[in-house]
Structures are given as C-alpha cells and as structure tokens.
Amino acid sequence: MGVHDLADFPWDAVVPYRERAAQHPDGLVDLSVGSPVDPTPELIRRALADATDAHAYPQTVGTPSLREAIVEWYRRRRGVPDLTVDNVLPTIGSKELVALLPTLLGLGEGDIVVHPRVAYPTYEVGARVAGATPAAADDPADWPEGSRLIWINTPGNPDGRTWTVDELAAAVRRARELDAVLASDECYAELGWDGAWASETIPSILDPRVTGGSRANLLSVYSLSKQSNLAGYRAAFLAGCARIVGDLLTARKHLGLMPPAPVQHAMAVALGDDEHVAAQKELYRERRDALRPALEAAGFRVEGSEAGLYLWATAGEDAWTSMDRLADLGILAGPGSFYGASSGQHVRLALTAPTEHVRAAARRLRDSAL
C-alpha cells in the first residue's frame, strides 16, 4: 500500500454539519480543529522580519543558534539536561515529520508501525505511505513482534492522555525488547491542566528518569504551533538518538526539507522566551474553564483531557448524533470516529477559538440544558 491507496480526507464529511451550524442566528462557533487563532507574539514576528535577507540556502541541520536554543529549551522546560546539538534537528512542521518518518527510516512491507488506539490519524497515514502495516495498541505488552516504529502521543490528541515517568520507562523497556524506534509526539507538553499536571512538568521520553542513561532509538517530537501560535510558520523539531538524527539529516541533505532561514531565526527567539508561552496557556485555561462545565451541564461527560488543547467528550450516543445536536446550537465539533474505531461515541472540541466565541458556545450549551 502507498499514497495512491489513501482514503479521502475525512474532514470532508464534516462539511454538512458546518453548513448547518453556520445557519444559527448568532453565527457559527467552530471548535472542530486545533488551528491557533491568537496573534503570533510580536517578538517572534519581529525576529522573522529581521531575518528576511535570506539570499542563501538555509542550513539543513539548522543554524547553530537554533540548535543551541532547542538544547537549552529541553534543559529548561522538559527536564532533559544532557542533550547536545548532535541530538536535535529542526523540521518543517511536525505533521510532515510524523507522516514522513516511516519512509525516512526506510520502513516498508512487512514492517509494523504502532500508534495509539485513539490517535491523530497521521500516524497511520505515514505507515501506509511507506507501505508498512499500522497497528493500534496502547499497552506496551500489546506491541507486536515485528514493530519497527512505535508512536506514543503524550499529551494525547484528542483525548489528553499523559504518560507518567514510570509508564514511559516501561514503554522504553518494551521498545528495546522489540529493537524498535520509539517516537514520542509531545507537542502539547506545556498544556497541563488536571491532577499532577496542574503543577508538575509533563515528562519527556528523553527524561533521564525514563531513558536509563541511553537515548538509543528514542525520539521526542515537538512543535511550536500551539505554544507560540506558529502553525503557519511550520516550525517544529525532533531530539533524541544521535544516530537516528544523523541518518535523518543525511536523508534530508538529499531531499531538501529545509526549514526556511527566517523561520529558523524566529524559532530560536521563540524558544528563548517563556513569557509568551505562559500568557497563551492562560488564554486556553480561560476557554477551558468556560467550556467544560457547560458541556457537562448539557449532558456530556468529559473524559481524559488532563492536558492538551481539547476536550474529549461523550454523551453516550453515536458521535454523529452529537455532531447533529451541537450543529443545532451553531457549534461545530470533530467526530471521534476520525481518531480510531473505538471512539465512535466521542466528539473533540478544541480550545482554539476566540474567547468570546467559546463563551458563546458555553451559553448555548447551558441554555440547551434548561
């Protein structure tokens, strides 16, 4: 199987619900996708503008300042103190990396790519594009022989599942038994809300408490789209096993895939500033605090969602029935069936809408419960 065997893009099925929701007399509240709506911070935009004299080809490996900024960010924000620039690599977005990683690792027919049971669909897409076999499994004990690449997502999209240090360490042990690459998609790691994550740093797969002293076959993937509102910049990076980073760099020297030089400069500036990240998190907290109790008042149960950018909710009915009811209120959600076969009774609601829109959705939900 390859790219010609991919199904139609699933979001096309949501169009009729969008059209219905848009007919609400007070307008559409679109909570279906996690695309940031808040402004890109001025210091990052200024950094991009300052670097627009980009007459030469950008460095495939990343500028020294960007690579050093990534290393320092892992030390300061993720509790990973022992990386060097040889352990990191900027990428053109994280979706692109997720989709291409099986191909760049040389996987193909007969190789298994494991991904979460409730998951962002690009993990499976990347496996199919490479001709490998996708397999959905959460428990490391269920990861099959023949697994060559294992994806975990912590905090998870859409369900917010967040792995503890002990759980990550168990995943590392199992991946090493299988001699598989373990890649952890961590792009929501700054957005912890409930339980331990209200006060503790969400751990990385590269945390020394997890790795046992070796980063071999371990990768952490991160994006600045959410924490810095840089989705349009396609600004992301990976870190971990120096051997794999070197192999990916060699492939990219042949293929291109170079982040533009102005974006690399802007990324370095963004990674060095924590203040704008904290301010953005508070915006998401405000929206979450408005939306969650309103959903619950309207008969939905929010599950997981302890971290991340979404509320993962069920009313105990088919997801499309919930989509229908929400559309009557002028609210557009994402159907759980897009995120795995076990999610047919869930909907995903994103916190990436203007605060006044989220408050409007909350009012409509509360009114519907009266």
Side-chain angles (χ1 to χ4, degrees):
M1 179 171 286
V3 67
H4 298 295
D5 301 299
L6 296 177
D8 291 337
F9 193 58
W11 283 95
D12 295 344
V14 173
V15 171
Y17 297 88
R18 174 184 294 277
E19 293 172 348
R20 281 245 325 281
Q23 294 172 13
H24 191 278
D26 294 323
L28 167 69
V29 176
D30 187 354
L31 306 179
S32 65
V33 294
S35 184
V37 297
D38 301 304
T40 301
E42 177 61 29
L43 84 162
I44 303 174
R45 294 159 64 186
R46 189 166 57 247
L48 184 79
D50 289 346
T52 52
D53 181 15
H55 48 272
Y57 286 111
Q59 293 177 263
T60 307
V61 71
T63 62
S65 62
L66 174 54
R67 296 166 77 200
E68 290 163 3
I70 295 170
V71 167
E72 168 59 18
W73 180 83
Y74 270 99
R75 184 200 64 77
R76 189 177 73 252
R77 302 299 301 175
R78 305 304 314 281
V80 181
D82 54 349
L83 298 180
T84 73
V85 293
D86 292 330
N87 297 114
V88 303
L89 189 66
T91 67
I92 303 175
S94 59
K95 179 175 183 176
E96 293 85 337
L97 175 65
V98 170
L100 289 173
L101 187 60
T103 297
L104 294 173
L105 292 175
L107 305 190
E109 186 175 356
D111 296 324
I112 296 173
V113 176
V114 176
H115 60 80
R117 292 177 67 245
V118 178
Y120 178 59
T122 307
Y123 307 121
E124 179 178 349
V125 168
R128 294 191 182 280
V129 167
T133 301
D138 292 329
D139 187 338
D142 295 333
W143 295 345
E145 297 292 332
S147 298
R148 296 285 307 283
L149 171 63
I150 298 164
W151 281 107
I152 62 173
N153 182 198
T154 174
N157 172 13
D159 61 352
R161 180 193 175 183
T162 303
W163 293 57
T164 66
V165 167
D166 288 345
E167 289 169 334
L168 289 171
V172 169
R173 289 193 296 270
R174 176 59 176 159
R176 287 177 174 160
E177 290 174 359
L178 296 167
D179 195 26
V181 173
L182 179 58
S184 180
D185 182 347
E186 301 175 351
C187 71
Y188 302 101
E190 291 277 10
L191 300 175
W193 308 116
D194 294 337
W197 315 126
S199 57
E200 295 181 19
T201 299
I202 291 172
S204 170
I205 197 69
L206 302 180
D207 189 306
R209 296 171 295 173
V210 171
T211 64
S214 171
R215 287 183 295 268
N217 279 2
L218 301 180
L219 293 176
S220 165
V221 176
Y222 201 80
S223 167
L224 297 184
S225 293
K226 316 305 183 189
Q227 73 175 48
S228 300
N229 295 327
L230 295 189
Y233 286 47
R234 309 313 301 133
F237 49 88
L238 61 84
C241 176
R243 178 188 61 80
I244 296 177
V245 169
D247 289 346
L248 294 176
L249 174 60
T250 297
R252 282 179 30 176
K253 286 178 178 177
H254 292 284
L255 297 173
L257 303 175
M258 300 174 287
V263 171
Q264 293 194 37
H265 180 65
M267 287 174 68
V269 170
L271 286 165
D273 181 77
D274 297 337
E275 184 175 340
H276 78 275
V277 180
Q280 185 60 47
K281 181 175 181 178
E282 288 311 304
L283 282 177
Y284 288 139
R285 186 192 304 278
E286 181 179 354
R287 295 165 189 168
R288 187 178 186 272
D289 288 348
L291 187 59
R292 178 168 187 158
L295 274 172
E296 292 170 339
F300 286 88
R301 183 176 71 255
V302 175
E303 296 184 346
S305 307
E306 60 194 4
L309 202 54
Y310 310 101
L311 293 175
W312 185 235
T314 179
E317 62 192 10
D318 184 83
W320 294 104
T321 301
S322 294
M323 291 283 293
D324 198 58
R325 290 201 294 121
L326 290 168
D328 284 342
L329 301 176
I331 300 169
L332 186 67
S337 53
F338 286 4
Y339 302 96
S342 64
S343 304
Q345 293 191 336
H346 287 76
V347 290
R348 190 194 77 168
L349 298 103
L351 304 178
T352 50
T355 301
E356 61 271 23
H357 291 190
V358 173
R359 287 176 175 162
R363 286 193 298 270
R364 297 176 196 179
L365 286 161
R366 288 187 184 280
D367 289 346
S368 75
L370 296 178

